[in-house]
Amino acid sequence: MFQNKQITKSCNQFILEALLKSTEVLSDDAQNQIKSFLGSQKSEAGGFMDRAGKADLYYSVFGYTLSLILDVKLDVLEERKYLKRIKQEGNLDFVHSMCFVRCDFLLHLIDLQQRSRLSASKFLTISFAKDFVHGRVVKSLRNNCSQLLWELEEYLASDSGYNHNKKGAAKSTIYANYLMWTLYQDLQTEQDVLDEITDANRLLRAENGSFANEENSIDGVTSSTAAGLIMSSTSELEEMLKTKDWLKQMLTKRGGFKAAEGVPLADLLSTSTALLALQLTGENMQNYAENSVNFINLHWDESGGFFGSIADMTCDVEYTYYALLGLGVLS
Protein backbone atom coordinates (compact mmCIF):
# COMPACT_ATOMS: atom_id res chain seq x y z
CA MET A 1 0.00 0.00 0.00
CA PHE A 2 1.38 3.40 -1.00
CA GLN A 3 0.60 6.13 1.49
CA ASN A 4 2.03 9.63 1.34
CA LYS A 5 2.29 11.29 4.76
CA GLN A 6 3.09 14.74 3.36
CA ILE A 7 -0.55 15.77 3.44
CA THR A 8 -0.59 17.30 6.93
CA LYS A 9 3.07 18.09 7.64
CA SER A 10 5.97 19.67 5.81
CA CYS A 11 8.96 17.53 4.90
CA ASN A 12 11.21 19.56 7.20
CA GLN A 13 8.84 19.03 10.10
CA PHE A 14 9.14 15.28 9.54
CA ILE A 15 12.92 15.64 9.44
CA LEU A 16 13.10 17.63 12.67
CA GLU A 17 10.81 15.13 14.38
CA ALA A 18 12.99 12.24 13.20
CA LEU A 19 16.13 13.98 14.43
CA LEU A 20 14.48 14.51 17.81
CA LYS A 21 13.61 10.81 17.97
CA SER A 22 17.26 9.95 17.40
CA THR A 23 18.16 11.72 20.65
CA GLU A 24 15.72 9.45 22.49
CA VAL A 25 17.59 6.32 21.46
CA LEU A 26 21.08 7.71 22.01
CA SER A 27 22.63 7.37 25.46
CA ASP A 28 23.80 10.48 27.31
CA ASP A 29 27.39 9.43 26.65
CA ALA A 30 26.72 9.04 22.93
CA GLN A 31 25.04 12.45 22.76
CA ASN A 32 27.96 14.05 24.58
CA GLN A 33 30.42 12.52 22.11
CA ILE A 34 28.39 13.86 19.19
CA LYS A 35 28.14 17.29 20.83
CA SER A 36 31.91 17.29 21.32
CA PHE A 37 32.41 16.55 17.64
CA LEU A 38 29.90 19.25 16.71
CA GLY A 39 31.83 21.75 18.83
CA SER A 40 35.04 20.82 17.04
CA GLN A 41 33.39 21.74 13.74
CA LYS A 42 32.29 25.20 14.88
CA SER A 43 34.12 28.03 13.16
CA GLU A 44 35.39 30.98 15.19
CA ALA A 45 34.31 33.17 12.28
CA GLY A 46 30.73 31.96 12.67
CA GLY A 47 28.91 29.04 11.12
CA PHE A 48 30.31 25.54 10.80
CA MET A 49 33.34 24.34 8.90
CA ASP A 50 33.66 22.37 5.71
CA ARG A 51 36.21 19.60 5.35
CA ALA A 52 38.94 22.11 4.66
CA GLY A 53 38.30 23.86 7.98
CA LYS A 54 36.65 26.92 6.47
CA ALA A 55 33.28 28.38 7.53
CA ASP A 56 30.70 27.32 4.98
CA LEU A 57 26.99 28.04 4.56
CA TYR A 58 26.22 24.54 3.29
CA TYR A 59 27.77 22.81 6.31
CA SER A 60 26.27 25.44 8.59
CA VAL A 61 22.76 24.26 7.72
CA PHE A 62 23.60 20.84 9.15
CA GLY A 63 25.53 22.32 12.09
CA TYR A 64 22.72 24.68 13.10
CA THR A 65 20.14 21.89 12.79
CA LEU A 66 22.17 19.57 15.01
CA SER A 67 22.76 22.40 17.49
CA LEU A 68 19.00 22.92 17.77
CA ILE A 69 18.22 19.23 18.15
CA LEU A 70 21.01 18.50 20.64
CA ASP A 71 20.39 21.63 22.75
CA VAL A 72 23.84 23.04 22.00
CA LYS A 73 23.86 26.70 22.95
CA LEU A 74 24.89 29.17 20.26
CA ASP A 75 25.55 32.90 20.39
CA VAL A 76 22.82 33.84 17.95
CA LEU A 77 23.96 37.46 17.66
CA GLU A 78 27.44 36.36 16.57
CA GLU A 79 26.01 33.85 14.14
CA ARG A 80 23.83 36.52 12.59
CA LYS A 81 26.92 38.68 12.12
CA TYR A 82 28.40 35.79 10.14
CA LEU A 83 25.32 35.70 7.91
CA LYS A 84 25.42 39.47 7.54
CA ARG A 85 29.02 39.31 6.30
CA ILE A 86 28.09 36.64 3.79
CA LYS A 87 25.15 38.69 2.60
CA GLN A 88 27.29 41.80 2.16
CA GLU A 89 29.79 39.85 0.08
CA GLY A 90 26.99 38.83 -2.28
CA ASN A 91 27.39 36.68 -5.40
CA LEU A 92 25.73 33.62 -3.92
CA ASP A 93 24.79 30.85 -6.31
CA PHE A 94 21.51 28.94 -6.06
CA VAL A 95 22.68 26.37 -3.51
CA HIS A 96 24.35 28.89 -1.21
CA SER A 97 21.41 31.29 -1.48
CA MET A 98 19.18 28.44 -0.37
CA CYS A 99 21.60 27.61 2.44
CA PHE A 100 21.56 31.24 3.58
CA VAL A 101 17.77 31.18 3.78
CA ARG A 102 17.86 27.90 5.69
CA CYS A 103 20.48 29.23 8.12
CA ASP A 104 18.38 32.32 8.78
CA PHE A 105 15.35 30.11 9.40
CA LEU A 106 17.27 27.89 11.82
CA LEU A 107 18.87 30.75 13.74
CA HIS A 108 15.45 32.26 14.34
CA LEU A 109 14.22 28.90 15.66
CA ILE A 110 17.31 28.53 17.85
CA ASP A 111 16.88 32.05 19.21
CA LEU A 112 13.24 31.43 20.14
CA GLN A 113 14.11 28.06 21.68
CA GLN A 114 16.94 29.50 23.79
CA ARG A 115 14.76 32.39 24.96
CA SER A 116 12.01 29.96 25.95
CA ARG A 117 14.45 27.98 28.13
CA LEU A 118 12.65 24.84 27.03
CA SER A 119 14.43 21.78 25.74
CA ALA A 120 14.48 21.42 21.98
CA SER A 121 12.03 18.54 22.23
CA LYS A 122 9.45 20.48 24.25
CA PHE A 123 9.93 23.67 22.26
CA LEU A 124 9.48 22.02 18.86
CA THR A 125 6.57 19.90 20.07
CA ILE A 126 4.73 23.02 21.17
CA SER A 127 5.71 24.85 17.99
CA PHE A 128 4.43 22.08 15.74
CA ALA A 129 1.21 21.69 17.71
CA LYS A 130 0.27 25.35 17.81
CA ASP A 131 2.06 26.57 14.66
CA PHE A 132 2.43 30.04 16.19
CA VAL A 133 6.22 29.91 16.40
CA HIS A 134 6.47 28.61 12.85
CA GLY A 135 4.33 31.56 11.71
CA ARG A 136 6.69 34.01 13.42
CA VAL A 137 9.73 32.37 11.82
CA VAL A 138 8.15 32.48 8.35
CA LYS A 139 7.30 36.17 8.76
CA SER A 140 10.88 36.92 9.82
CA LEU A 141 12.25 34.87 6.94
CA ARG A 142 10.20 36.78 4.39
CA ASN A 143 11.51 40.06 5.82
CA ASN A 144 15.17 39.10 6.27
CA CYS A 145 15.60 37.16 3.04
CA SER A 146 13.16 38.85 0.68
CA GLN A 147 15.86 39.75 -1.85
CA LEU A 148 17.33 36.24 -1.88
CA LEU A 149 13.87 34.72 -2.25
CA TRP A 150 13.36 36.86 -5.36
CA GLU A 151 16.79 35.90 -6.69
CA LEU A 152 16.02 32.20 -6.26
CA GLU A 153 13.09 32.70 -8.61
CA GLU A 154 15.58 33.58 -11.36
CA TYR A 155 16.43 29.87 -11.46
CA LEU A 156 12.87 29.03 -12.52
CA ALA A 157 13.02 26.75 -15.57
CA SER A 158 10.62 26.68 -18.51
CA ASP A 159 9.05 23.44 -17.24
CA SER A 160 7.96 25.23 -14.01
CA GLY A 161 10.64 23.50 -11.95
CA TYR A 162 14.04 24.94 -10.96
CA ASN A 163 17.60 24.41 -12.16
CA HIS A 164 20.40 24.92 -9.63
CA ASN A 165 23.06 25.22 -12.34
CA LYS A 166 21.58 27.87 -14.62
CA LYS A 167 19.14 30.77 -14.51
CA GLY A 168 16.23 30.56 -16.93
CA ALA A 169 17.07 27.04 -18.07
CA ALA A 170 14.72 25.04 -20.25
CA LYS A 171 14.71 22.02 -17.94
CA SER A 172 14.78 21.69 -14.18
CA THR A 173 16.92 19.49 -11.91
CA ILE A 174 15.48 17.38 -9.13
CA TYR A 175 18.00 18.77 -6.64
CA ALA A 176 16.77 22.32 -7.18
CA ASN A 177 13.16 21.17 -7.30
CA TYR A 178 13.48 19.44 -3.93
CA LEU A 179 15.14 22.45 -2.29
CA MET A 180 12.49 24.86 -3.59
CA TRP A 181 9.62 22.47 -2.88
CA THR A 182 10.63 22.05 0.77
CA LEU A 183 11.25 25.78 1.15
CA TYR A 184 7.83 26.61 -0.29
CA GLN A 185 6.27 24.10 2.09
CA ASP A 186 7.82 25.96 5.01
CA LEU A 187 6.74 29.31 3.58
CA GLN A 188 3.20 27.88 3.37
CA THR A 189 2.98 28.62 -0.34
CA GLU A 190 -0.12 27.67 -2.30
CA GLN A 191 -0.43 23.98 -3.19
CA ASP A 192 -0.64 24.82 -6.90
CA VAL A 193 2.98 26.00 -6.83
CA LEU A 194 4.11 22.79 -5.16
CA ASP A 195 2.17 20.74 -7.72
CA GLU A 196 3.88 22.53 -10.60
CA ILE A 197 7.28 21.57 -9.21
CA THR A 198 6.12 17.98 -8.74
CA ASP A 199 4.88 17.87 -12.34
CA ALA A 200 8.30 19.03 -13.57
CA ASN A 201 9.84 15.96 -11.92
CA ARG A 202 8.07 13.63 -14.35
CA LEU A 203 10.64 14.32 -17.07
CA LEU A 204 13.41 13.24 -14.68
CA ARG A 205 11.93 9.80 -14.06
CA ALA A 206 13.55 6.89 -15.90
CA GLU A 207 11.63 3.90 -17.24
CA ASN A 208 12.74 1.74 -14.33
CA GLY A 209 11.07 4.16 -11.89
CA SER A 210 14.22 5.81 -10.59
CA PHE A 211 14.83 9.56 -10.75
CA ALA A 212 17.93 11.21 -12.18
CA ASN A 213 19.03 14.70 -11.31
CA GLU A 214 18.87 15.80 -14.93
CA GLU A 215 16.77 14.81 -17.95
CA ASN A 216 17.74 12.05 -20.42
CA SER A 217 19.63 9.91 -17.90
CA ILE A 218 19.11 6.17 -18.38
CA ASP A 219 19.25 5.36 -14.69
CA GLY A 220 18.67 7.39 -11.58
CA VAL A 221 20.42 7.57 -8.24
CA THR A 222 19.12 6.84 -4.77
CA SER A 223 19.15 10.38 -3.35
CA SER A 224 17.35 11.81 -6.40
CA THR A 225 14.86 8.96 -6.37
CA ALA A 226 14.19 9.53 -2.68
CA ALA A 227 13.56 13.20 -3.41
CA GLY A 228 11.19 12.35 -6.25
CA LEU A 229 9.30 9.93 -4.04
CA ILE A 230 9.01 12.44 -1.20
CA MET A 231 7.61 15.09 -3.54
CA SER A 232 5.11 12.74 -5.16
CA SER A 233 1.57 14.05 -5.03
CA THR A 234 -1.49 12.06 -4.03
CA SER A 235 -2.51 11.79 -7.70
CA GLU A 236 0.73 9.94 -8.50
CA LEU A 237 0.65 7.34 -5.77
CA GLU A 238 0.00 4.26 -7.90
CA GLU A 239 2.53 5.08 -10.60
CA MET A 240 5.14 5.80 -7.94
CA LEU A 241 5.01 2.19 -6.70
CA LYS A 242 7.60 1.37 -9.36
CA THR A 243 9.83 4.09 -7.96
CA LYS A 244 9.45 2.74 -4.45
CA ASP A 245 10.32 -0.77 -5.65
CA TRP A 246 13.48 0.53 -7.35
CA LEU A 247 14.50 2.27 -4.14
CA LYS A 248 14.06 -0.94 -2.15
CA GLN A 249 16.33 -2.74 -4.61
CA MET A 250 19.20 -0.45 -3.58
CA LEU A 251 19.16 -1.99 -0.09
CA THR A 252 22.23 -4.13 0.61
CA LYS A 253 22.51 -7.14 2.89
CA ARG A 254 24.26 -5.09 5.57
CA GLY A 255 21.34 -2.67 5.88
CA GLY A 256 22.68 0.28 3.91
CA PHE A 257 21.47 1.64 0.59
CA LYS A 258 23.85 2.08 -2.33
CA ALA A 259 23.82 5.21 -4.47
CA ALA A 260 22.85 3.52 -7.74
CA GLU A 261 22.75 0.23 -9.60
CA GLY A 262 26.26 -1.10 -10.13
CA VAL A 263 27.70 0.76 -7.14
CA PRO A 264 29.30 -1.85 -4.84
CA LEU A 265 29.19 0.05 -1.53
CA ALA A 266 26.33 1.51 0.46
CA ASP A 267 26.74 4.98 1.96
CA LEU A 268 25.19 7.01 4.75
CA LEU A 269 23.63 9.73 2.57
CA SER A 270 21.86 7.26 0.29
CA THR A 271 20.74 5.19 3.28
CA SER A 272 19.20 8.03 5.26
CA THR A 273 17.45 9.68 2.31
CA ALA A 274 16.06 6.32 1.18
CA LEU A 275 14.81 5.48 4.67
CA LEU A 276 13.13 8.90 4.99
CA ALA A 277 11.37 8.50 1.65
CA LEU A 278 10.19 5.00 2.51
CA GLN A 279 8.87 6.15 5.88
CA LEU A 280 6.99 9.07 4.33
CA THR A 281 5.33 6.74 1.84
CA GLY A 282 3.98 4.35 4.44
CA GLU A 283 6.66 1.67 4.64
CA ASN A 284 6.90 -0.41 7.83
CA MET A 285 10.29 0.69 9.12
CA GLN A 286 10.56 -2.28 11.46
CA ASN A 287 11.50 -4.28 8.38
CA TYR A 288 14.72 -2.24 8.17
CA ALA A 289 15.40 -1.38 11.80
CA GLU A 290 18.01 -3.87 12.98
CA ASN A 291 20.24 -4.10 9.90
CA SER A 292 20.07 -0.41 9.03
CA VAL A 293 20.78 0.73 12.60
CA ASN A 294 23.81 -1.55 12.63
CA PHE A 295 24.92 -0.11 9.28
CA ILE A 296 24.67 3.45 10.60
CA ASN A 297 26.54 2.57 13.79
CA LEU A 298 29.40 1.12 11.73
CA HIS A 299 29.99 4.66 10.44
CA TRP A 300 30.41 6.22 13.88
CA ASP A 301 33.95 7.36 14.59
CA GLU A 302 35.70 7.69 17.96
CA SER A 303 35.75 11.46 17.38
CA GLY A 304 31.98 11.45 17.92
CA GLY A 305 31.22 12.23 14.28
CA PHE A 306 30.02 10.01 11.46
CA PHE A 307 31.61 9.35 8.07
CA GLY A 308 29.91 8.64 4.76
CA SER A 309 31.23 5.23 3.74
CA ILE A 310 34.22 2.96 4.18
CA ALA A 311 35.58 4.54 1.00
CA ASP A 312 35.33 8.01 2.56
CA MET A 313 36.08 7.91 6.27
CA THR A 314 36.35 11.65 6.90
CA CYS A 315 33.75 12.75 9.45
CA ASP A 316 31.80 15.97 9.01
CA VAL A 317 28.59 17.62 10.23
CA GLU A 318 26.67 16.64 7.09
CA TYR A 319 27.17 12.90 7.54
CA THR A 320 26.57 13.23 11.27
CA TYR A 321 23.25 14.88 10.47
CA TYR A 322 22.30 12.07 8.09
CA ALA A 323 23.30 9.43 10.64
CA LEU A 324 20.95 10.90 13.26
CA LEU A 325 18.22 11.33 10.64
CA GLY A 326 18.47 7.65 9.74
CA LEU A 327 18.43 6.57 13.38
CA GLY A 328 15.39 8.75 14.04
CA VAL A 329 13.45 7.41 11.07
CA LEU A 330 14.11 3.87 12.28
CA SER A 331 13.19 4.49 15.93
Side-chain angles (χ1 to χ4, degrees):
M1 180 68 179
F2 192 109
Q3 177 186 5
N4 194 315
K5 299 182 181 179
Q6 292 286 9
I7 297 173
T8 58
K9 296 181 182 179
S10 75
C11 182
N12 280 317
Q13 182 174 340
F14 270 109
I15 289 173
L16 287 174
E17 288 177 345
L19 288 166
L20 282 173
K21 286 181 180 178
S22 76
T23 65
E24 297 172 4
V25 299
L26 290 168
S27 67
D28 290 343
D29 183 57
Q31 289 193 49
N32 287 334
Q33 288 183 57
I34 296 170
K35 288 179 183 179
S36 177
F37 173 76
L38 185 62
S40 73
Q41 301 301 297
K42 186 72 185 67
S43 170
E44 293 182 1
F48 286 79
M49 296 184 291
D50 60 18
R51 292 186 169 198
K54 181 180 178 182
D56 183 271
L57 277 175
Y58 177 80
Y59 285 88
S60 294
V61 173
F62 301 110
Y64 288 149
T65 305
L66 291 175
S67 296
L68 172 64
I69 296 303
L70 295 168
D71 284 312
V72 175
K73 186 172 178 59
L74 293 177
D75 188 331
V76 176
L77 289 178
E78 289 301 314
E79 298 307 313
R80 283 178 171 158
K81 289 178 182 178
Y82 163 66
L83 290 189
K84 184 177 181 180
R85 290 195 302 272
I86 295 293
K87 193 173 185 179
Q88 290 174 340
E89 293 172 4
N91 298 319
L92 295 176
D93 59 15
F94 175 90
V95 173
H96 287 90
S97 293
M98 181 64 69
C99 290
F100 185 100
V101 173
R102 280 292 170 204
C103 285
D104 186 272
F105 183 93
L106 287 162
L107 284 179
H108 200 125
L109 265 183
I110 290 169
D111 187 37
L112 290 172
Q113 184 261 326
Q114 290 182 171
R115 289 174 184 270
S116 73
R117 297 186 179 181
L118 296 172
S119 68
S121 179
K122 289 183 179 179
F123 171 78
L124 290 173
T125 299
I126 293 171
S127 300
F128 292 148
K130 297 184 177 296
D131 201 38
F132 69 92
V133 173
H134 185 268
R136 289 177 62 182
V137 174
V138 168
K139 183 178 180 181
S140 173
L141 188 65
R142 290 185 183 278
N143 291 333
N144 295 346
C145 301
S146 59
Q147 183 60 38
L148 280 178
L149 292 173
W150 278 110
E151 290 175 4
L152 284 169
E153 281 299 316
E154 295 177 7
Y155 292 87
L156 180 67
S158 299
D159 62 6
S160 296
Y162 294 81
N163 188 305
H164 65 284
N165 294 314
K166 182 180 179 181
K167 296 180 180 180
K171 304 296 182 181
S172 58
T173 60
I174 203 161
Y175 182 47
N177 285 347
Y178 176 77
L179 292 177
M180 289 300 293
W181 188 82
T182 53
L183 175 62
Y184 278 148
Q185 274 194 329
D186 287 335
L187 290 175
Q188 301 174 335
T189 306
E190 293 81 0
Q191 185 62 42
D192 289 348
V193 176
L194 300 178
D195 290 342
E196 287 180 358
I197 298 175
T198 299
D199 289 341
N201 289 334
R202 293 175 181 271
L203 295 174
L204 302 171
R205 188 168 178 259
E207 289 187 9
N208 61 11
S210 65
F211 280 85
N213 192 43
E214 298 182 5
E215 193 181 8
N216 298 324
S217 298
I218 298 175
D219 291 311
V221 296
T222 297
S223 57
S224 296
T225 302
L229 195 57
I230 289 170
M231 287 185 279
S232 60
S233 66
T234 53
S235 63
E236 298 178 295
L237 298 187
E238 290 304 319
E239 65 185 78
M240 294 300 284
L241 286 172
K242 192 174 183 181
T243 297
K244 191 172 181 179
D245 287 341
W246 183 93
L247 199 59
K248 290 180 182 180
Q249 292 171 21
M250 296 303 105
L251 179 65
T252 64
K253 292 181 180 180
R254 292 188 178 275
F257 287 75
K258 55 187 182 180
E261 293 179 346
V263 175
L265 297 174
D267 68 89
L268 207 49
L269 171 61
S270 299
T271 298
S272 294
T273 54
L275 290 172
L276 176 66
L278 290 172
Q279 184 207 39
L280 290 177
T281 50
E283 191 72 9
N284 182 356
M285 302 314 295
Q286 290 303 309
N287 296 334
Y288 304 86
E290 184 176 355
N291 280 350
S292 293
V293 166
N294 289 338
F295 174 83
I296 293 170
N297 286 336
L298 286 173
H299 293 73
W300 194 20
D301 184 73
E302 61 182 11
S303 67
F306 288 79
F307 53 88
S309 75
I310 59 173
D312 178 15
M313 299 182 71
T314 302
C315 298
D316 61 34
V317 289
E318 179 185 11
Y319 285 130
T320 303
Y321 166 99
Y322 281 116
L324 297 195
L325 175 60
L327 291 174
V329 167
L330 293 165
S331 63

